[in-house]
Short mmCIF file of all heavy atoms in Angstrom, two decimals:
data_model
loop_
_atom_site.label_atom_id
_atom_site.label_comp_id
_atom_site.label_asym_id
_atom_site.label_seq_id
_atom_site.Cartn_x
_atom_site.Cartn_y
_atom_site.Cartn_z
N ARG A 1 4.37 5.17 17.33
CA ARG A 1 3.17 4.40 16.95
C ARG A 1 3.62 3.01 16.62
O ARG A 1 4.85 2.83 15.98
CB ARG A 1 2.48 5.01 15.71
CG ARG A 1 1.70 6.21 15.98
CD ARG A 1 0.97 6.60 14.67
NE ARG A 1 1.85 6.90 13.67
CZ ARG A 1 2.28 8.11 13.25
NH1 ARG A 1 1.91 9.20 14.05
NH2 ARG A 1 2.94 8.29 12.17
N PRO A 2 2.97 1.96 17.08
CA PRO A 2 3.45 0.61 16.73
C PRO A 2 3.14 0.28 15.20
O PRO A 2 2.27 0.86 14.56
CB PRO A 2 2.45 -0.30 17.58
CG PRO A 2 1.22 0.54 17.83
CD PRO A 2 1.72 2.01 17.78
N ASP A 3 4.05 -0.64 14.76
CA ASP A 3 4.03 -0.90 13.32
C ASP A 3 3.75 -2.36 13.05
O ASP A 3 3.53 -3.07 13.90
CB ASP A 3 5.37 -0.50 12.78
CG ASP A 3 5.73 1.00 12.92
OD1 ASP A 3 4.89 1.85 12.69
OD2 ASP A 3 6.80 1.33 13.59
N LEU A 4 3.90 -2.76 11.79
CA LEU A 4 3.61 -4.13 11.36
C LEU A 4 4.71 -4.69 10.48
O LEU A 4 5.22 -3.93 9.71
CB LEU A 4 2.26 -4.11 10.65
CG LEU A 4 1.70 -5.37 10.06
CD1 LEU A 4 1.13 -6.36 11.23
CD2 LEU A 4 0.59 -5.08 9.17
N ILE A 5 5.08 -5.93 10.69
CA ILE A 5 5.93 -6.63 9.81
C ILE A 5 5.15 -7.78 9.18
O ILE A 5 4.46 -8.53 9.63
CB ILE A 5 7.16 -7.32 10.60
CG1 ILE A 5 8.06 -6.21 11.10
CG2 ILE A 5 7.91 -8.23 9.73
CD1 ILE A 5 9.19 -6.63 11.91
N ALA A 6 5.41 -7.81 7.72
CA ALA A 6 4.71 -8.77 6.98
C ALA A 6 5.85 -9.78 6.33
O ALA A 6 6.83 -9.25 5.81
CB ALA A 6 3.99 -8.06 5.83
N TYR A 7 5.73 -11.04 6.64
CA TYR A 7 6.60 -12.08 6.31
C TYR A 7 6.16 -12.96 5.37
O TYR A 7 5.08 -13.42 5.37
CB TYR A 7 7.11 -12.80 7.66
CG TYR A 7 7.97 -14.04 7.37
CD1 TYR A 7 9.27 -13.86 6.93
CD2 TYR A 7 7.37 -15.30 7.43
CE1 TYR A 7 10.04 -15.07 6.54
CE2 TYR A 7 8.09 -16.44 7.03
CZ TYR A 7 9.42 -16.27 6.79
OH TYR A 7 10.21 -17.42 6.43
N GLY A 8 7.13 -13.26 4.42
CA GLY A 8 6.78 -14.51 3.58
C GLY A 8 6.87 -14.35 2.02
O GLY A 8 6.33 -15.20 1.32
N THR A 9 7.26 -13.21 1.55
CA THR A 9 7.41 -13.05 0.11
C THR A 9 8.73 -13.72 -0.31
O THR A 9 9.58 -13.98 0.42
CB THR A 9 7.44 -11.52 -0.25
OG1 THR A 9 8.58 -10.93 0.50
CG2 THR A 9 6.12 -10.98 0.09
N SER A 10 8.74 -14.01 -1.55
CA SER A 10 9.99 -14.64 -2.07
C SER A 10 10.82 -13.58 -2.64
O SER A 10 10.55 -12.34 -2.65
CB SER A 10 9.66 -15.66 -3.20
OG SER A 10 8.90 -15.03 -4.29
N GLY A 11 12.07 -14.03 -3.04
CA GLY A 11 12.99 -13.06 -3.74
C GLY A 11 13.85 -12.33 -2.71
O GLY A 11 14.06 -12.79 -1.58
N GLN A 12 14.38 -11.18 -3.13
CA GLN A 12 15.18 -10.54 -2.21
C GLN A 12 14.70 -9.99 -0.83
O GLN A 12 15.30 -10.05 0.11
CB GLN A 12 15.69 -9.09 -2.92
CG GLN A 12 16.68 -8.34 -2.12
CD GLN A 12 17.04 -7.02 -2.90
OE1 GLN A 12 16.75 -6.86 -4.09
NE2 GLN A 12 17.91 -6.09 -2.19
N HIS A 13 13.37 -9.64 -0.92
CA HIS A 13 12.91 -9.19 0.39
C HIS A 13 11.94 -10.35 0.96
O HIS A 13 10.91 -10.50 0.46
CB HIS A 13 12.03 -7.88 0.07
CG HIS A 13 12.78 -6.72 -0.35
ND1 HIS A 13 13.82 -6.17 0.28
CD2 HIS A 13 12.76 -6.25 -1.68
CE1 HIS A 13 14.26 -5.12 -0.42
NE2 HIS A 13 13.69 -5.20 -1.67
N GLY A 14 12.47 -10.88 2.06
CA GLY A 14 11.68 -11.90 2.77
C GLY A 14 10.67 -11.33 3.62
O GLY A 14 9.91 -12.13 4.15
N SER A 15 10.61 -9.98 3.88
CA SER A 15 9.66 -9.43 4.61
C SER A 15 9.58 -7.89 4.35
O SER A 15 10.58 -7.33 3.64
CB SER A 15 9.97 -9.64 6.05
OG SER A 15 11.23 -9.06 6.33
N TYR A 16 8.46 -7.27 4.78
CA TYR A 16 8.43 -5.84 4.54
C TYR A 16 8.06 -5.26 6.04
O TYR A 16 7.26 -5.95 6.73
CB TYR A 16 7.30 -5.50 3.41
CG TYR A 16 7.81 -5.70 2.06
CD1 TYR A 16 7.65 -6.99 1.52
CD2 TYR A 16 8.40 -4.76 1.32
CE1 TYR A 16 8.16 -7.14 0.14
CE2 TYR A 16 8.93 -4.87 0.14
CZ TYR A 16 8.61 -6.13 -0.55
OH TYR A 16 9.17 -6.24 -1.82
N VAL A 17 8.18 -4.04 6.05
CA VAL A 17 7.69 -3.27 7.15
C VAL A 17 6.59 -2.35 6.77
O VAL A 17 6.62 -1.63 5.72
CB VAL A 17 8.73 -2.37 7.93
CG1 VAL A 17 8.23 -1.32 8.81
CG2 VAL A 17 9.86 -3.24 8.53
N TYR A 18 5.55 -2.40 7.53
CA TYR A 18 4.38 -1.48 7.32
C TYR A 18 4.34 -0.51 8.39
O TYR A 18 3.92 -0.94 9.60
CB TYR A 18 3.06 -2.23 7.13
CG TYR A 18 2.90 -2.84 5.77
CD1 TYR A 18 3.60 -4.13 5.50
CD2 TYR A 18 2.32 -2.23 4.67
CE1 TYR A 18 3.48 -4.73 4.25
CE2 TYR A 18 2.23 -2.85 3.45
CZ TYR A 18 2.85 -4.11 3.23
OH TYR A 18 2.73 -4.68 1.94
N ARG A 19 4.73 0.70 8.11
CA ARG A 19 4.77 1.77 9.13
C ARG A 19 3.42 2.44 9.34
O ARG A 19 2.65 2.74 8.49
CB ARG A 19 5.79 2.85 8.68
CG ARG A 19 5.86 4.09 9.55
CD ARG A 19 6.80 5.08 8.95
NE ARG A 19 6.84 6.28 9.72
CZ ARG A 19 6.00 7.32 9.55
NH1 ARG A 19 5.14 7.25 8.55
NH2 ARG A 19 6.02 8.41 10.17
N SER A 20 3.03 2.45 10.71
CA SER A 20 1.76 3.19 11.04
C SER A 20 1.73 4.58 10.60
O SER A 20 2.71 5.28 10.89
CB SER A 20 1.53 2.92 12.55
OG SER A 20 1.38 1.70 12.87
N THR A 21 0.65 4.96 10.08
CA THR A 21 0.66 6.42 9.62
C THR A 21 -0.24 7.26 10.73
O THR A 21 -0.14 8.52 10.65
CB THR A 21 -0.02 6.58 8.30
OG1 THR A 21 -1.48 6.07 8.30
CG2 THR A 21 0.62 5.73 7.25
N GLY A 22 -1.01 6.59 11.53
CA GLY A 22 -1.71 7.42 12.54
C GLY A 22 -3.19 7.58 12.00
O GLY A 22 -4.01 8.25 12.62
N SER A 23 -3.45 7.24 10.79
CA SER A 23 -4.75 7.54 10.02
C SER A 23 -5.61 6.38 10.36
O SER A 23 -5.23 5.20 10.36
CB SER A 23 -4.50 7.77 8.59
OG SER A 23 -5.89 7.80 7.89
N THR A 24 -6.94 6.58 10.44
CA THR A 24 -7.93 5.59 10.64
C THR A 24 -8.81 5.42 9.35
O THR A 24 -9.75 4.61 9.28
CB THR A 24 -9.00 5.93 11.76
OG1 THR A 24 -9.62 7.23 11.48
CG2 THR A 24 -8.21 6.01 13.10
N GLU A 25 -8.45 6.16 8.29
CA GLU A 25 -9.22 6.10 7.01
C GLU A 25 -8.85 4.75 6.38
O GLU A 25 -7.72 4.19 6.49
CB GLU A 25 -8.76 7.36 6.18
CG GLU A 25 -9.06 8.67 6.78
CD GLU A 25 -10.58 8.87 7.00
OE1 GLU A 25 -11.35 8.40 6.11
OE2 GLU A 25 -10.87 9.52 8.00
N ALA A 26 -9.76 4.43 5.50
CA ALA A 26 -9.63 3.17 4.64
C ALA A 26 -8.31 3.15 3.85
O ALA A 26 -8.14 4.20 3.13
CB ALA A 26 -10.79 2.94 3.80
N ALA A 27 -7.60 2.11 3.87
CA ALA A 27 -6.51 1.87 3.05
C ALA A 27 -5.36 2.73 3.45
O ALA A 27 -4.24 2.83 2.74
CB ALA A 27 -6.69 2.05 1.59
N THR A 28 -5.37 3.54 4.43
CA THR A 28 -4.26 4.53 4.77
C THR A 28 -3.45 4.24 6.17
O THR A 28 -2.56 4.97 6.62
CB THR A 28 -4.66 5.84 4.73
OG1 THR A 28 -5.84 6.10 5.73
CG2 THR A 28 -5.19 6.25 3.44
N PRO A 29 -3.95 3.19 7.01
CA PRO A 29 -3.23 2.96 8.18
C PRO A 29 -1.72 2.64 8.19
O PRO A 29 -1.09 2.95 9.24
CB PRO A 29 -3.97 1.89 9.05
CG PRO A 29 -5.33 1.77 8.20
CD PRO A 29 -5.02 2.25 6.80
N PHE A 30 -1.30 2.20 7.07
CA PHE A 30 0.13 1.74 6.99
C PHE A 30 0.73 2.22 5.59
O PHE A 30 0.09 2.42 4.65
CB PHE A 30 0.20 0.21 6.93
CG PHE A 30 -0.31 -0.45 8.10
CD1 PHE A 30 -1.50 -1.28 8.25
CD2 PHE A 30 0.44 -0.28 9.35
CE1 PHE A 30 -2.04 -1.74 9.39
CE2 PHE A 30 -0.05 -0.96 10.66
CZ PHE A 30 -1.23 -1.61 10.54
N ASN A 31 2.01 2.43 5.82
CA ASN A 31 2.88 2.80 4.58
C ASN A 31 4.03 1.92 4.56
O ASN A 31 4.88 1.82 5.46
CB ASN A 31 3.34 4.27 4.89
CG ASN A 31 4.06 4.98 3.71
OD1 ASN A 31 4.24 4.19 2.70
ND2 ASN A 31 4.53 6.26 3.85
N ARG A 32 4.23 1.31 3.41
CA ARG A 32 5.19 0.22 3.28
C ARG A 32 6.64 0.73 3.25
O ARG A 32 6.73 1.71 2.58
CB ARG A 32 4.96 -0.72 2.07
CG ARG A 32 5.69 -2.02 2.13
CD ARG A 32 5.20 -2.93 1.19
NE ARG A 32 5.87 -2.78 -0.23
CZ ARG A 32 5.73 -3.64 -1.16
NH1 ARG A 32 5.21 -4.90 -0.97
NH2 ARG A 32 6.42 -3.45 -2.36
N ARG A 33 7.50 0.04 3.82
CA ARG A 33 8.90 0.32 3.84
C ARG A 33 9.72 -0.85 3.76
O ARG A 33 9.33 -1.95 4.08
CB ARG A 33 9.38 1.06 5.22
CG ARG A 33 8.83 2.42 5.40
CD ARG A 33 9.44 3.54 4.46
NE ARG A 33 9.15 4.79 4.80
CZ ARG A 33 8.13 5.42 4.18
NH1 ARG A 33 7.42 4.65 3.36
NH2 ARG A 33 7.73 6.56 4.52
N LEU A 34 10.90 -0.73 3.20
CA LEU A 34 11.76 -1.91 2.98
C LEU A 34 12.54 -2.34 4.19
O LEU A 34 12.78 -1.46 5.14
CB LEU A 34 12.84 -1.64 1.92
CG LEU A 34 12.32 -1.33 0.51
CD1 LEU A 34 13.41 -1.12 -0.50
CD2 LEU A 34 11.43 -2.66 -0.03
N THR A 35 13.02 -3.51 4.35
CA THR A 35 13.76 -4.01 5.37
C THR A 35 14.63 -5.18 4.91
O THR A 35 14.26 -5.93 3.85
CB THR A 35 13.02 -4.48 6.63
OG1 THR A 35 13.87 -5.04 7.59
CG2 THR A 35 12.01 -5.53 6.18
N ASP A 36 15.89 -5.38 5.48
CA ASP A 36 16.76 -6.50 5.05
C ASP A 36 16.36 -7.66 6.01
O ASP A 36 17.12 -8.66 5.91
CB ASP A 36 18.15 -6.06 5.03
CG ASP A 36 18.61 -5.65 6.33
OD1 ASP A 36 17.83 -5.41 7.31
OD2 ASP A 36 19.88 -5.39 6.48
N LEU A 37 15.44 -7.62 6.85
CA LEU A 37 15.06 -8.70 7.72
C LEU A 37 14.68 -9.91 6.85
O LEU A 37 13.70 -9.64 5.99
CB LEU A 37 14.04 -8.21 8.63
CG LEU A 37 13.40 -9.42 9.48
CD1 LEU A 37 14.41 -9.97 10.46
CD2 LEU A 37 12.19 -8.92 10.28
N TYR A 38 15.26 -11.04 6.98
CA TYR A 38 14.79 -12.26 6.35
C TYR A 38 14.90 -12.05 4.75
O TYR A 38 14.15 -12.71 4.05
CB TYR A 38 13.39 -12.75 6.49
CG TYR A 38 13.11 -12.89 8.12
CD1 TYR A 38 11.91 -12.42 8.63
CD2 TYR A 38 13.98 -13.44 8.90
CE1 TYR A 38 11.66 -12.63 9.96
CE2 TYR A 38 13.90 -13.62 10.20
CZ TYR A 38 12.64 -13.19 10.85
OH TYR A 38 12.34 -13.34 12.23
N GLY A 39 15.96 -11.28 4.50
CA GLY A 39 16.30 -11.23 2.84
C GLY A 39 16.55 -12.61 2.32
O GLY A 39 17.36 -13.35 2.85
N TYR A 40 15.93 -12.90 1.24
CA TYR A 40 16.03 -14.19 0.58
C TYR A 40 15.69 -15.40 1.49
O TYR A 40 16.06 -16.48 1.37
CB TYR A 40 17.43 -14.55 0.08
CG TYR A 40 17.91 -13.44 -0.93
CD1 TYR A 40 18.83 -12.44 -0.62
CD2 TYR A 40 17.34 -13.52 -2.20
CE1 TYR A 40 19.09 -11.42 -1.73
CE2 TYR A 40 17.69 -12.58 -3.17
CZ TYR A 40 18.57 -11.49 -2.91
OH TYR A 40 18.95 -10.68 -3.81
N GLN A 41 14.84 -15.13 2.47
CA GLN A 41 14.47 -16.23 3.49
C GLN A 41 12.94 -16.24 3.58
O GLN A 41 12.42 -16.71 4.74
CB GLN A 41 15.07 -15.95 4.97
CG GLN A 41 16.55 -16.10 4.87
CD GLN A 41 17.17 -15.87 6.30
OE1 GLN A 41 16.96 -14.74 6.87
NE2 GLN A 41 17.86 -16.79 6.75
N GLY A 42 12.25 -15.93 2.61
CA GLY A 42 10.77 -15.87 2.70
C GLY A 42 10.00 -17.22 2.94
O GLY A 42 8.96 -17.24 3.28
#
């Protein structure tokens, strides 16, 4: 399943990964995961 990257927070995590869950229900299509992509580069 394709996923989503969210960019632009400050601090250690310059971005987050939102993993697709396969669900179409409200508020459940994505499950947030950590990534070191753009750490401190928000």
Side-chain angles (χ1 to χ4, degrees):
R1 293 187 297 266
D3 303 306
L4 182 71
I5 289 175
Y7 168 74
T9 60
S10 59
Q12 178 181 357
H13 300 293
S15 58
Y16 286 92
V17 165
Y18 284 84
R19 175 182 174 271
S20 297
T21 64
S23 171
T24 60
E25 300 297 325
T28 60
F30 297 109
N31 186 358
R32 193 169 86 166
R33 291 287 186 269
L34 295 178
T35 177
D36 59 355
L37 173 68
Y38 304 139
Y40 297 104
Q41 292 179 304

